[in-house]
């Protein structure tokens, strides 16, 4: 993304600003989050940069504006997009896991929301940002212009995604 060509960015989805529930993870050794897996070898980052936090920080530096809809109602998200009149839409999703157990599904949390919103946004570039512990399904992929997935990246998850989005780093290099 270029801050000049994308001065107004809208982020949609609960995963965009998902917090880190440290107490829950300390209370059960197999608990996990979008930022770390559960299990015996886990490291629980105390302060994580969310996707929204990373994008908002880059926008402060570059002169763009980032707005968040942190729910999972398709109707509300599409109304938010219409009211905000952005130049680009970022959809956020995530999944988590723990050791000693297979995931029940390869879907991300709020998959239906991501799929419906990707289909519903018209005339704007849409970028899918996902955080996952491994392979995921992306039934919305044909309805987005770009997709970026990051594996459980810990403390700097949002910074890493923002750096890739704004061209500070090349995730394939």
């Amino acid at each position: 993304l270029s801050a000049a060509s994308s001065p107004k960015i809208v982020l949609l989805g609960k995963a965009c600003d998902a917090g880190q529930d440290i107490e829950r993870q300390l209370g059960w050794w197999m608990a996990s989050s979008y930022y770390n897996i559960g299990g015996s070898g886990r490291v629980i980052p105390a302060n994580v940069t969310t996707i929204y936090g990373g994008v908002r920080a880059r926008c402060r530096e570059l002169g763009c504006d980032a707005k968040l809809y942190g729910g999972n109602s398709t109707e509300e998200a599409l109304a938010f997009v219409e009211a905000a009149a952005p130049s680009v839409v970022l959809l956020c999703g995530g999944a988590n896991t723990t050791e000693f157990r297979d995931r029940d599904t390869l879907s991300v949390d709020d998959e239906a929301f991501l799929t419906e919103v990707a289909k519903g946004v018209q005339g704007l570039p849409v970028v899918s940002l996902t955080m996952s512990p491994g392979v995921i399904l992306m039934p919305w992929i044909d309805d987005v212009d770009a997709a970026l997935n990051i594996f459980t990246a810990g403390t700097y998850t949002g910074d890493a995604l923002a750096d890739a989005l704004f061209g500070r780093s090349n995730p394939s290099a």
Side-chain angles (χ1 to χ4, degrees), residues 50-119:
T50 66
I51 295 172
Y52 178 55
V55 170
R56 192 176 58 218
R58 292 307 166 272
C59 278
R60 277 195 299 270
E61 296 169 12
L62 301 171
C64 53
D65 184 34
K67 301 278 188 222
L68 171 69
Y69 169 73
N72 65 351
S73 163
T74 300
E75 186 176 290
E76 290 176 10
L78 293 175
F80 187 83
V81 169
E82 187 173 330
S87 34
V88 66
V89 174
L90 306 179
L91 289 176
C92 306
N96 57 45
T97 193
T98 189
E99 64 183 35
F100 298 120
R101 182 178 69 81
D102 290 335
R103 291 186 286 161
D104 295 331
T105 176
L106 295 180
S107 297
V108 297
D109 299 337
D110 295 326
E111 178 182 279
F113 169 77
L114 296 173
T115 303
E116 292 164 7
V117 171
K119 284 185 188 305

Side-chain angles (χ1 to χ4, degrees), residues 26-52:
L26 290 174
W28 185 47
W29 74 279
M30 296 212 5
S32 61
S33 74
Y34 294 148
Y35 309 103
N36 59 275
I37 64 167
S40 60
R42 70 184 175 174
V43 175
I44 304 171
N47 300 305
V48 297
T49 304
T50 66
I51 295 172
Y52 178 55

